[in-house]
Amino acid sequence: MKKHEITKKYISNRSKPVNISPNDERLFQHEYKKEIRSTYIKEIKNVSVINNIVRKKLNYFIDETFFGEPKLKKIFKEILKVFIRSNKGKKEIINNGIWIVDNKSNVYFHWICDALARYQNLPNKYKHYPVLVPKRIANDWVIESLDFLKIDYIVLEFNKKYLVDNLILTSHTAQTGNFNKHVIVPLANRFIKSAKIKKTENKPNLRIWISREKARRPLRNNLEIQNLLKEYNFINCVAEELNWEEKVRLFNNAEIIAGTHGSGFTNLMFLKSGGKVLDLREPNDNRNQAFFSMSSEFQLNYYYLECEEFNSDYVVVDTKKLEEVFKKIL
């Protein structure tokens, strides 16, 4: 096994939210300065792969195949489940492959910002190898994104054992919720290039409200909010209804995006620098800072507003407070 360092660790210094309140510094201050760890790849010969489990003898490469810092009990349970259910039939041999996924990669944010970032970070000499995508992760928009970016891939069937002669195992490019600007910015540019957008094509002028009508936590007072959005010339965007080219083009032409905190904000990476982001957040939340951090890496102006209620079933936003923030931004 050969291990190669790709990028060195560095300090990311973030811009404060534009409308930061002195009382809310405690929510953000621990994110103003963050060390982004170094990245690497491992070049491994003769490994076996079943679903999301990568193994060479007794080495299971937990750091590269699991999200975050999973408990040993969870790891053991997942490994045991895979091998009990695995197909005992004929094995398939793959000559070369790239591994970029973990057990969270079927989530939109994690697929773009974690998995595809790992591919983007690869040295060019490996990028002609196919990405190995377990069937559980290979939903329609994942496959569409790979086709859109012209990335070669192989979908791995459920519970089937694959023997890979030469596997390029990638590290995560940053701690989750953080971003290596040397990776995430070029990845966004790759999407923009694939959408055939010229730098001088449009001046951003759209005001986009990221709708959650097809996601969890819908707005409980949606009718009030919609009336306010109409007054301030926002258009509703249901990102799930757009293909990749439509989505990249739409957000690249946005002056401002706003909405309740969720995966749809991943698309802020397609905004032009200087754009504005309004993140409607859970009250007193000092943990979920991904879109604050991402906004800073893309040189966007980040605003926030705490919701009145924010739970697993619904969200309530104070329309008067929302209008006050609109007046500051627009």
Side-chain angles (χ1 to χ4, degrees):
M1 180 178 70
K2 297 179 181 178
K3 183 175 179 179
H4 310 283
E5 185 178 67
I6 305 300
T7 62
K8 296 186 179 300
K9 65 180 180 181
Y10 73 95
I11 301 297
S12 174
N13 293 295
R14 282 79 178 264
S15 302
K16 293 184 179 183
V18 179
N19 63 330
I20 186 70
S21 161
N23 292 332
D24 291 340
E25 285 280 359
R26 59 187 172 81
L27 303 179
F28 295 95
Q29 61 187 5
H30 56 290
E31 296 293 330
Y32 291 158
K33 188 175 183 178
K34 202 82 169 183
E35 181 179 276
I36 304 301
R37 62 193 176 199
S38 61
T39 66
Y40 60 85
I41 61 169
K42 292 177 180 177
E43 191 171 355
I44 314 167
K45 304 291 184 181
N46 304 317
V47 299
S48 64
V49 178
I50 303 175
N51 297 343
N52 65 308
I53 301 298
V54 177
R55 180 175 69 92
K56 183 177 175 66
K57 296 182 179 178
L58 295 178
N59 192 342
Y60 286 87
F61 306 103
I62 302 304
D63 291 342
E64 296 85 10
T65 59
F66 280 81
F67 172 79
E69 298 178 357
K71 296 180 179 179
L72 287 175
K73 183 178 179 181
K74 181 178 180 180
I75 295 169
F76 178 77
K77 183 178 179 181
E78 184 70 18
I79 291 172
L80 184 62
K81 180 174 65 175
V82 164
F83 281 96
I84 289 175
R85 295 178 180 177
S86 64
N87 190 327
K88 304 301 181 182
K90 188 176 179 180
K91 306 173 182 66
E92 184 171 334
I93 296 175
I94 297 173
N95 292 327
N96 298 300
I98 300 166
W99 192 268
I100 64 172
V101 302
D102 59 39
N103 55 313
K104 281 276 192 177
S105 294
N106 61 332
V107 177
Y108 185 80
F109 171 84
H110 294 293
W111 172 251
I112 305 299
C113 298
D114 294 338
L116 287 181
R118 293 168 69 174
Y119 178 85
Q120 181 65 35
N121 195 39
L122 275 169
N124 287 332
K125 68 178 182 178
Y126 298 113
K127 287 186 176 177
H128 66 285
Y129 291 1
V131 172
L132 305 184
V133 186
K135 186 75 172 180
R136 182 183 66 84
I137 292 167
N139 56 48
D140 291 344
W141 53 263
V142 164
I143 297 304
E144 185 189 354
S145 72
L146 292 167
D147 290 335
F148 183 66
L149 296 176
K150 295 181 170 57
I151 297 173
D152 192 16
Y153 59 90
I154 297 173
V155 175
L156 307 181
E157 296 300 321
F158 282 120
N159 299 330
K160 183 175 181 179
K161 186 174 184 178
Y162 294 84
L163 301 177
V164 186
D165 292 336
N166 185 37
L167 182 69
I168 306 303
L169 192 64
T170 62
S171 70
H172 292 84
T173 59
Q175 307 89 311
T176 189
N178 295 274
F179 310 90
N180 187 317
K181 65 183 176 183
H182 306 298
V183 178
I184 196 71
V185 173
L187 175 61
N189 289 337
R190 182 172 183 150
F191 272 100
I192 291 167
K193 183 178 180 180
S194 295
K196 299 180 174 60
I197 299 172
K198 298 177 181 177
K199 289 185 178 180
T200 58
E201 184 171 319
N202 290 308
K203 181 179 179 181
N205 59 9
L206 294 179
R207 299 174 179 178
I208 297 174
W209 179 264
I210 301 174
S211 172
R212 296 190 60 82
E213 65 182 61
K214 290 193 173 182
R216 63 191 181 98
R217 292 196 303 264
L219 276 166
R220 194 170 192 176
N221 57 332
N222 188 50
L223 183 59
E224 296 174 38
I225 297 298
Q226 289 301 317
N227 290 334
L228 183 63
L229 295 176
K230 186 176 181 180
E231 181 181 344
Y232 282 87
N233 299 315
F234 277 82
I235 62 171
N236 279 287
C237 171
V238 182
E240 294 88 342
E241 295 178 349
L242 304 176
N243 65 36
W244 278 101
E245 182 170 348
E246 292 169 337
K247 189 158 39 184
V248 174
R249 283 182 166 273
L250 180 70
F251 281 91
N252 189 251
N253 196 33
E255 169 194 4
I256 176 175
I257 65 171
T260 55
H261 189 95
S263 286
F265 272 88
T266 309
N267 299 304
L268 69 83
M269 64 193 290
F270 306 130
L271 270 66
K272 293 181 174 71
S273 61
K276 301 170 184 176
V277 176
L278 173 55
D279 185 7
L280 277 60
R281 299 160 51 100
E282 184 177 355
N284 297 309
D285 185 1
N286 68 348
R287 297 179 296 106
N288 297 300
Q289 307 290 6
F291 303 123
F292 160 64
S293 303
M294 184 188 279
S295 296
S296 190
E297 301 299 356
F298 282 93
Q299 299 179 334
L300 304 174
N301 298 295
Y302 178 87
Y303 296 78
Y304 70 99
L305 175 66
E306 292 186 333
C307 299
E308 300 304 300
E309 295 183 62
F310 194 106
N311 57 54
S312 58
D313 296 320
Y314 61 84
V315 174
V316 176
V317 177
D318 187 310
T319 52
K320 290 183 179 179
K321 291 180 180 178
L322 181 58
E323 185 169 21
E324 288 174 6
V325 181
F326 280 169
K327 288 178 179 178
K328 291 179 182 179
I329 298 175
L330 303 173

